[in-house]
Amino acid sequence: MQTQPYVYDNDDELPPAISHRSRWRRSNETLRRSHPAAGPASQHDEAEDDFQISYQASHAEALMLSTALAPFFHDRILADVLAPVKGGKEATVYCCQAHPSTGLDLIAAKIYRPRAHRSLSNDAPYREGREMLDDQGKGIRDARRHRALAKKTRFGKDVAIGSWIEHEYATLKVLYAAGADVPRPIARVETTILMAYLGDVRQPAPNLHGVNLPRGAARPLFERLLAHVELMLAHNRVHADLSAYNILYWQGKATIIDFPQAVFALSNRNAYTFLLRDLTRLCQYFERYGIHASAEDLAQGLWERFQLAQL
Ligand SMILES: Nc1ncnc2c1ncn2[C@@H]1O[C@H](COP(=O)(O)OP(=O)(O)O)[C@@H](O)[C@H]1O
Ligand SMILES: [Mg+2]
């Protein structure tokens, strides 16, 4: 298993982690059995000694975590799994302690379920205009995987979900580099993406639905989010599932998350429809704060400037 190059950046102000916690170390043998890629004991004892999960997971969940996260422990990116943040249809996000050598504090691990398929039967509108990607971020070329994809075999479904995850990671990288308010991507292996964690150990950042914005905060936030929709479009991306649920709010700042379905504006014929839907949901949310904006006008204005290459 090869890992992507890691992206580190110490500028983020991540809150401090708790210092006292019970430790639950996985035995080397259990880890080796559940993660054969960890290799023979002699090479990996040191790394395996570092594998720990403070979070009291069930046996099945602990095995899942050890399989999904072992490469990050081995590479000294993660030091501990502290708590689950949220489990959704396709993925569960965990709050993890970064390894001290990274210079980071908390890291979010988004672990996709092995058979998580974002309604795969219904994913064609999102996939249009984008390549299926392998776990190295390269377009899938070989006939075997294309056949499996077409026939929707079990293997084909694994290839498809791998492509979704790679798209999410690649999109995060592009948008983070462009200065968008998205979590900093840190690493990706198979079914897991590591990214900057929003929140602290006691409280993960709530989504916009879960907060009452302070007086005067709604208008600037709305405008900043619109600016980010524009920035994404300027980088040829439409989120395509933007809503208050996929915007986290922490210390007065909004961060847009959840990008596997993001589409390429230039090559996806549904891009405008998705853009309009994203803006409609955004406008609907901000209505409650007395902000009345026309999603149609905003979408048309943005789209026109995008097509005239004015963004
Ligand atoms: N970087 C992060 N920091 C803190 N919490 C996060 C982070 N990313 C996701 N979450 C939490 O996990 C939930 C699910 O993540 P999301 O990427 O939206 O996946 P899903 O496809 O399951 O909706 C989010 O609603 C949020 O509560
Ligand atoms: Mg989500």
Side-chain angles (χ1 to χ4, degrees):
M1 185 184 307
Q2 242 187 320
T3 53
Q4 297 286 317
Y6 302 129
V7 182
Y8 292 127
D9 177 342
N10 295 328
D11 290 346
D12 268 12
E13 287 174 25
L14 288 167
I18 50 170
S19 50
H20 301 293
R21 52 181 184 260
S22 62
R23 287 187 161 199
W24 182 65
R25 282 172 185 255
R26 301 195 57 68
S27 78
N28 292 349
E29 199 41 51
T30 312
L31 175 61
R32 210 170 292 118
R33 262 187 274 118
S34 58
H35 185 66
S42 56
Q43 283 171 19
H44 291 280
D45 274 353
E46 208 191 330
E48 289 170 10
D49 280 345
D50 283 346
F51 192 95
Q52 58 172 300
I53 305 177
S54 296
Y55 159 54
Q56 300 289 310
S58 71
H59 185 66
E61 193 178 8
L63 277 179
M64 181 282 289
L65 287 168
S66 72
T67 305
L69 301 180
F72 304 120
F73 280 87
H74 179 256
D75 290 352
R76 301 240 185 288
I77 301 174
L78 293 185
D80 195 2
V81 182
L82 303 177
V85 177
K86 202 164 172 200
K89 279 201 306 285
E90 290 117 11
T92 303
V93 174
Y94 292 86
C95 173
C96 302
Q97 180 66 56
H99 193 277
S101 64
T102 61
L104 302 172
D105 188 353
L106 298 178
I107 288 180
K110 182 172 181 179
I111 308 179
Y112 279 81
R113 298 189 204 306
R115 307 256 171 260
H117 306 297
R118 191 170 280 253
S119 26
L120 263 188
S121 51
N122 207 5
D123 70 347
Y126 299 93
R127 275 196 294 106
E128 188 186 285
R130 76 182 200 188
E131 270 190 305
M132 297 299 278
L133 298 179
D134 65 17
D135 63 358
Q136 301 304 305
K138 303 221 170 70
I140 291 172
R141 306 261 178 268
D142 64 289
R144 178 173 159 257
R145 279 187 286 182
H146 272 291
R147 265 198 316 276
L149 279 165
K151 287 189 180 162
K152 297 194 174 153
T153 61
R154 203 182 160 108
F155 172 60
K157 287 181 177 175
D158 285 346
V159 173
I161 187 63
S163 177
W164 281 99
I165 301 168
E166 185 51 37
H167 267 292
E168 169 153 49
Y169 190 61
T171 306
L172 276 177
K173 283 205 287 188
V174 167
L175 296 179
Y176 184 76
D181 290 339
V182 301
R184 170 159 35 98
I186 295 169
R188 188 235 145 162
V189 171
E190 300 208 335
T191 56
T192 305
I193 289 175
L194 300 189
M195 63 186 126
Y197 173 83
L198 284 309
D200 62 28
V201 180
R202 285 158 293 271
Q203 191 199 357
N207 64 43
L208 269 191
H209 268 300
V211 292
N212 279 321
L213 293 176
R215 189 186 286 271
R219 169 65 66 181
L221 194 66
F222 178 60
E223 278 164 12
R224 188 161 174 98
L225 287 166
L226 287 183
H228 277 77
V229 171
E230 177 167 338
L231 182 66
M232 287 192 257
L233 197 54
H235 287 82
N236 191 25
R237 302 297 198 287
V238 175
H239 186 289
D241 191 21
L242 191 62
S243 76
Y245 293 103
N246 281 330
I247 300 171
L248 302 183
Y249 188 73
W250 187 246
Q251 294 173 338
K253 198 183 148 199
T255 302
I256 303 173
I257 58 164
D258 203 3
F259 288 91
Q261 72 294 315
V263 301
F264 292 122
L266 279 173
S267 49
N268 187 310
R269 276 174 302 172
N270 312 300
Y272 179 78
T273 310
F274 288 133
L275 176 70
L276 179 59
R277 189 176 69 183
D278 285 355
L279 288 168
T280 302
R281 287 183 184 156
L282 216 51
C283 290
Q284 276 166 356
Y285 172 81
F286 281 97
E287 282 268 337
R288 74 184 66 173
Y289 291 101
I291 295 171
H292 308 292
S294 157
E296 283 82 7
D297 291 351
L298 289 168
Q300 274 168 23
L302 273 181
W303 195 248
E304 221 164 90
R305 287 169 50 225
F306 170 65
Q307 292 196 311
L308 295 170
Q310 288 174 347
L311 291 185

Coordinates of all heavy atoms in Angstrom, one line a residue, residues 85-94 107-110 112 118 168 183 195-199 204-207 241 245-246 248 255 257-261, ligand 1:
V85 N -16.8 11.3 15.8 CA -17.4 12.6 15.7 C -18.8 12.4 15.2 O -19.8 12.8 15.8 CB -16.7 13.6 14.8 CG1 -17.4 14.9 14.6 CG2 -15.3 13.8 15.3
K86 N -18.9 11.7 14.1 CA -20.3 11.5 13.5 C -20.2 10.4 12.5 O -19.3 10.3 11.7 CB -20.7 12.8 12.8 CG -22.2 12.9 12.7 CD -22.6 14.3 12.3 CE -24.1 14.3 12.0 NZ -24.5 15.4 11.2
G87 N -21.2 9.6 12.5 CA -21.3 8.5 11.5 C -22.4 8.9 10.6 O -23.5 9.2 11.0
G88 N -22.2 8.8 9.3 CA -23.2 9.1 8.3 C -23.5 7.8 7.5 O -23.1 6.7 7.9
K89 N -24.1 8.0 6.4 CA -24.5 6.9 5.5 C -23.2 6.2 5.0 O -23.1 5.0 4.9 CB -25.3 7.4 4.3 CG -26.7 7.6 4.5 CD -27.5 7.6 3.2 CE -27.0 8.5 2.2 NZ -27.2 10.0 2.3
E90 N -22.3 7.1 4.6 CA -21.1 6.5 3.9 C -19.9 6.5 4.6 O -19.0 5.7 4.3 CB -20.9 7.4 2.6 CG -21.9 7.2 1.5 CD -22.6 8.5 1.3 OE1 -22.2 9.5 1.8 OE2 -23.7 8.5 0.6
A91 N -19.8 7.4 5.6 CA -18.5 7.5 6.3 C -18.7 7.8 7.8 O -19.7 8.3 8.2 CB -17.7 8.6 5.7
T92 N -17.7 7.5 8.6 CA -17.7 7.9 10.0 C -16.4 8.8 10.2 O -15.4 8.4 9.7 CB -17.7 6.8 11.0 OG1 -18.8 5.9 10.7 CG2 -17.8 7.2 12.4
V93 N -16.6 9.9 10.9 CA -15.5 10.8 11.1 C -15.0 10.6 12.6 O -15.9 10.6 13.5 CB -15.8 12.3 10.8 CG1 -14.7 13.2 11.2 CG2 -16.2 12.4 9.3
Y94 N -13.7 10.5 12.8 CA -13.2 10.3 14.1 C -12.3 11.5 14.4 O -11.5 12.0 13.6 CB -12.4 9.0 14.2 CG -13.3 7.8 14.2 CD1 -13.6 7.2 12.9 CD2 -13.8 7.2 15.3 CE1 -14.4 6.1 12.8 CE2 -14.6 6.1 15.2 CZ -14.9 5.5 14.0 OH -15.7 4.4 13.9
I107 N -6.6 15.7 14.4 CA -6.8 15.4 13.0 C -8.2 14.7 12.9 O -8.5 13.9 13.7 CB -5.7 14.5 12.5 CG1 -4.4 15.3 12.4 CG2 -6.0 13.8 11.2 CD1 -3.2 14.5 11.9
A108 N -8.9 15.0 11.9 CA -10.2 14.3 11.6 C -9.8 13.2 10.6 O -9.2 13.4 9.6 CB -11.2 15.3 11.0
A109 N -10.3 12.0 10.9 CA -10.2 10.8 10.0 C -11.5 10.5 9.5 O -12.4 10.1 10.3 CB -9.5 9.6 10.8
K110 N -11.7 10.7 8.2 CA -13.0 10.3 7.6 C -12.8 8.9 7.0 O -12.1 8.8 6.0 CB -13.4 11.4 6.5 CG -14.7 11.1 5.9 CD -15.2 12.2 5.0 CE -16.5 12.0 4.3 NZ -17.0 13.1 3.5
Y112 N -14.5 5.9 5.2 CA -15.6 5.4 4.4 C -15.9 3.9 4.7 O -15.0 3.2 5.0 CB -15.4 5.6 2.9 CG -15.6 7.0 2.4 CD1 -14.6 8.0 2.6 CD2 -16.8 7.3 1.8 CE1 -14.8 9.3 2.1 CE2 -17.0 8.6 1.3 CZ -16.0 9.6 1.5 OH -16.3 10.9 1.1
R118 N -22.4 6.2 -2.5 CA -23.2 7.4 -2.5 C -24.3 7.2 -3.6 O -24.1 7.6 -4.7 CB -22.4 8.7 -2.8 CG -23.1 9.9 -2.6 CD -22.2 11.1 -2.6 NE -21.4 11.2 -1.4 CZ -21.7 12.2 -0.5 NH1 -22.5 13.1 -0.7 NH2 -21.0 12.2 0.6
E168 N -12.7 13.3 -3.6 CA -12.9 14.2 -2.4 C -11.5 14.7 -2.0 O -11.3 15.9 -1.8 CB -13.5 13.5 -1.2 CG -13.4 14.3 0.1 CD -14.5 14.0 1.1 OE1 -14.8 12.8 1.4 OE2 -15.1 15.0 1.6
P183 N -11.2 22.2 5.1 CA -10.2 21.6 6.0 C -8.9 21.3 5.3 O -9.0 20.8 4.1 CB -10.8 20.3 6.5 CG -12.3 20.4 6.2 CD -12.4 21.3 5.0
M195 N -7.7 14.9 7.6 CA -7.8 16.4 7.3 C -7.7 17.1 8.7 O -7.9 16.5 9.7 CB -9.0 16.7 6.5 CG -10.3 16.4 7.3 SD -11.7 16.7 6.2 CE -12.6 15.1 6.4
A196 N -7.5 18.4 8.6 CA -7.6 19.2 9.8 C -8.9 19.0 10.5 O -10.0 19.0 9.9 CB -7.3 20.7 9.5
Y197 N -8.9 18.9 11.8 CA -10.1 18.7 12.6 C -10.6 20.1 13.1 O -9.9 21.0 13.5 CB -9.7 17.9 13.8 CG -10.8 17.7 14.8 CD1 -11.8 16.7 14.7 CD2 -10.9 18.5 16.0 CE1 -12.9 16.6 15.6 CE2 -11.9 18.3 16.9 CZ -12.9 17.4 16.7 OH -13.9 17.2 17.6
L198 N -11.9 20.3 12.9 CA -12.6 21.5 13.4 C -13.3 21.3 14.7 O -14.1 20.4 14.7 CB -13.6 22.0 12.4 CG -13.2 22.7 11.1 CD1 -12.2 23.8 11.3 CD2 -12.6 21.8 10.0
G199 N -12.9 22.0 15.7 CA -13.5 21.8 17.0 C -12.4 21.5 18.0 O -11.3 21.7 17.8
P204 N -16.9 18.7 18.9 CA -16.6 19.0 17.4 C -17.3 20.2 16.9 O -18.4 20.5 17.5 CB -17.1 17.7 16.7 CG -17.8 16.9 17.7 CD -17.7 17.5 19.1
A205 N -16.8 20.8 15.9 CA -17.5 22.0 15.4 C -18.9 21.6 14.9 O -19.1 20.6 14.3 CB -16.7 22.6 14.2
P206 N -19.9 22.4 15.4 CA -21.3 22.1 14.9 C -21.5 22.5 13.4 O -20.7 23.4 13.0 CB -22.2 22.9 15.8 CG -21.3 24.0 16.2 CD -19.9 23.5 16.2
N207 N -22.5 22.0 12.8 CA -22.8 22.5 11.4 C -23.6 23.8 11.6 O -24.1 24.0 12.7 CB -23.4 21.5 10.5 CG -24.7 21.0 11.0 OD1 -25.6 21.8 11.4 ND2 -24.9 19.7 10.9
D241 N -23.3 19.5 -3.2 CA -24.1 19.0 -2.0 C -24.0 20.1 -0.9 O -23.9 19.7 0.3 CB -23.6 17.6 -1.6 CG -24.6 17.0 -0.6 OD1 -25.8 17.5 -0.5 OD2 -24.2 16.1 0.2
Y245 N -25.7 21.7 6.4 CA -25.1 20.5 7.0 C -23.7 20.3 6.7 O -23.0 19.6 7.4 CB -26.0 19.3 6.7 CG -27.4 19.3 7.2 CD1 -28.4 19.7 6.4 CD2 -27.6 19.1 8.6 CE1 -29.7 19.7 6.9 CE2 -28.9 19.2 9.1 CZ -29.9 19.5 8.3 OH -31.2 19.6 8.8
N246 N -23.3 20.8 5.5 CA -21.9 20.6 5.1 C -21.1 21.8 5.3 O -20.0 22.0 4.6 CB -21.8 20.1 3.7 CG -22.2 18.6 3.6 OD1 -21.9 17.8 4.5 ND2 -22.7 18.1 2.5
L248 N -19.3 23.7 8.6 CA -19.0 23.6 10.0 C -18.7 25.1 10.5 O -18.1 25.8 9.7 CB -17.9 22.7 10.3 CG -18.0 21.2 9.9 CD1 -16.9 20.4 10.3 CD2 -19.3 20.7 10.4
T255 N -16.5 26.6 7.6 CA -15.6 25.8 6.8 C -16.5 24.8 6.0 O -17.3 24.1 6.6 CB -14.6 25.0 7.7 OG1 -13.8 25.9 8.5 CG2 -13.7 24.1 6.9
I257 N -17.3 21.5 4.0 CA -16.7 20.1 4.0 C -17.5 19.2 3.0 O -18.4 19.7 2.4 CB -16.8 19.4 5.4 CG1 -18.3 19.4 5.9 CG2 -16.0 20.2 6.4 CD1 -18.6 18.5 7.1
D258 N -17.0 18.0 2.9 CA -17.8 16.9 2.2 C -17.8 17.1 0.7 O -18.8 17.5 0.1 CB -19.2 16.8 2.8 CG -19.8 15.5 2.6 OD1 -19.2 14.6 2.1 OD2 -21.0 15.3 3.0
F259 N -16.7 16.7 0.0 CA -16.6 17.0 -1.4 C -16.6 15.8 -2.4 O -16.2 16.0 -3.5 CB -15.2 17.7 -1.6 CG -15.3 19.1 -1.1 CD1 -14.9 19.5 0.2 CD2 -15.7 20.1 -1.9 CE1 -15.0 20.8 0.6 CE2 -15.8 21.5 -1.5 CZ -15.4 21.8 -0.2
P260 N -16.9 14.5 -2.0 CA -16.8 13.5 -3.0 C -17.6 13.7 -4.2 O -17.2 13.2 -5.3 CB -17.2 12.2 -2.2 CG -18.0 12.7 -1.1 CD -17.5 14.0 -0.7
Q261 N -18.7 14.3 -4.1 CA -19.6 14.5 -5.3 C -19.3 15.8 -6.1 O -20.0 16.0 -7.0 CB -21.1 14.5 -4.8 CG -21.5 15.8 -4.1 CD -20.8 16.0 -2.7 OE1 -20.7 15.0 -2.0 NE2 -20.3 17.2 -2.5
Ligands
LIG1 N1 -12.7 18.2 9.5 C1 -13.7 17.9 10.3 N2 -13.6 18.3 11.6 C2 -14.6 18.1 12.5 N3 -15.8 17.4 12.2 C3 -15.9 17.0 10.9 C4 -14.9 17.2 9.9 N4 -15.3 16.6 8.7 C5 -16.5 16.1 9.0 N5 -16.9 16.3 10.3 C6 -18.1 15.8 10.9 O1 -18.5 14.6 10.3 C7 -19.8 14.7 9.7 C8 -19.8 13.9 8.4 O2 -18.8 14.3 7.5 P1 -19.1 14.6 6.0 O3 -17.8 14.9 5.3 O4 -20.1 15.6 5.9 O5 -19.6 13.2 5.5 P2 -21.0 12.6 5.1 O6 -20.8 12.2 3.7 O7 -21.2 11.4 6.0 O8 -22.0 13.7 5.2 C9 -19.9 16.2 9.4 O9 -21.3 16.6 9.4 C10 -19.3 16.8 10.7 O10 -20.1 16.7 11.8

